[in-house]
Amino acid sequence: MDQQTFRQAILLLSGEHSVSILRALRDGNWHLSSEVARSLDVHITTASKFLQRFAELGLVDRRPHDARTFEYRLRSPHLRFEVNLEDEAGPLREVVDFYVEYFHSLFERIRYVGTPAIEIEMEHRLTTNHQELRKAVFDQMVDGTEAGLDRLRELVAAVHRDLWNVCAQGLGANSAKGVFQAALRDAIAAHPDLALRCGLTRPLEG
C-alpha cells in the first residue's frame, strides 16, 4: 500500500460507524449495503458511502448484485496494513514525470522542425503565463490528494491549449497536430500503465 492510500484508509477508519460497518462483514459472506445498514440501525446512505470507499481502497471486495446495487465482502476478520515508506512521493512523482516527458518531447520536436521563433514563443508562454502550474506541481507532490491531481490536469490542459495555439498559428493545424501527437506517443511509451490508469492523456487530447 502506498502512503497516499494509507492516509486515506486511516482517515476513513477514523469516521463514525466505520469500524462497526467492517465488523458487520466479518463473517466473510457477501452483504448488501442495505443489510449492513439495517443490522446497525444506520442510514443506508451512510453504510453505502463507507462500503464504497472501503472497496475503492481495497479493504473489502465488491461485486455487482444487480444492475443498480453492489454487495460487499470482507476477505478476513483481520485487517493488516503494509505501507511502503521508501518513496515518499510514490506514483505522484511518476505523474509529474509523465507531463515533463511530454513537454520535453514536444519542445525537442519543435526544435527538429527548425522554427526558433515558435520555440521561443512557446517557452515564453510556458515560463511567463503559467506560473501556477509550477506551484501546483510542488503542491501535488506534498499534498498527494486526488483533488490535487485533478487540478494538476486542469492546469496542464490550459498549458496545452496555449502551446497548441502558438504552434498551430506558426506551423498550421495539420503540422502542429502531428508534432503534438508524436510527443504524446513518446510520453505514453515512457509511462504506459500510469497514463491509462490516471487518465493523464485527457488534458493533452483534442
Side-chain angles (χ1 to χ4, degrees):
M1 177 180 291
D2 61 50
Q3 295 179 49
Q4 178 183 348
T5 303
F6 177 70
R7 286 194 298 267
Q8 292 173 345
I10 293 301
L11 182 62
L12 185 61
L13 287 168
S14 67
E16 186 180 6
H17 305 303
S18 61
V19 175
S20 297
I21 289 172
L22 283 176
R23 283 176 55 83
L25 304 179
R26 66 184 182 274
D27 61 5
N29 296 322
W30 292 98
H31 296 275
L32 295 168
S33 55
S34 58
E35 297 172 0
V36 174
R38 189 163 51 250
S39 69
L40 298 175
D41 194 25
V42 299
H43 198 280
I44 186 173
T45 302
T46 300
S48 179
K49 178 187 69 174
F50 274 104
L51 288 169
Q52 180 178 345
R53 289 294 291 129
F54 283 137
E56 291 171 351
L57 294 173
L59 301 181
V60 302
D61 293 327
R62 177 175 61 182
R63 71 180 185 185
H65 176 71
D66 54 35
R68 300 180 58 185
T69 60
F70 292 91
E71 52 187 3
Y72 302 85
R73 179 183 67 180
L74 190 62
R75 301 178 199 132
S76 167
H78 303 282
L79 284 181
R80 295 181 177 86
F81 296 94
E82 183 175 328
V83 187
N84 180 7
L85 299 176
E86 293 182 352
D87 187 358
E88 186 173 353
L92 301 178
R93 182 175 299 161
E94 298 179 47
V95 170
V96 175
D97 286 346
F98 174 86
Y99 289 126
V100 170
E101 176 72 29
Y102 171 75
F103 288 116
H104 174 75
S105 176
L106 181 61
F107 277 88
E108 283 294 313
R109 290 180 177 278
I110 289 296
R111 292 188 190 100
Y112 181 78
V113 172
T115 50
I118 295 177
E119 180 186 350
I120 291 171
E121 179 60 22
M122 289 174 66
E123 288 180 350
H124 174 74
R125 297 288 184 94
L126 186 60
T127 57
T128 305
N129 296 0
H130 298 283
Q131 294 293 329
E132 190 177 359
L133 177 61
R134 294 184 178 185
K135 181 178 183 300
V137 168
F138 288 105
D139 288 348
Q140 172 66 10
M141 295 293 287
V142 173
D143 185 30
T145 63
E146 185 175 348
L149 180 56
D150 289 340
R151 179 58 178 156
L152 183 60
R153 280 194 291 251
E154 291 176 7
L155 293 170
V156 167
V159 175
H160 177 262
R161 287 192 297 269
D162 204 359
L163 298 184
W164 163 260
N165 288 335
V166 173
C167 195
Q169 290 174 8
L171 296 179
N174 289 335
S175 296
K177 184 177 181 180
V179 171
F180 276 69
Q181 287 181 341
L184 181 57
R185 286 195 298 269
D186 290 342
I188 293 174
H191 305 276
D193 295 335
L194 184 75
L196 179 63
R197 186 173 71 251
C198 296
L200 302 184
T201 65
R202 291 200 301 269
L204 310 176
E205 296 171 343

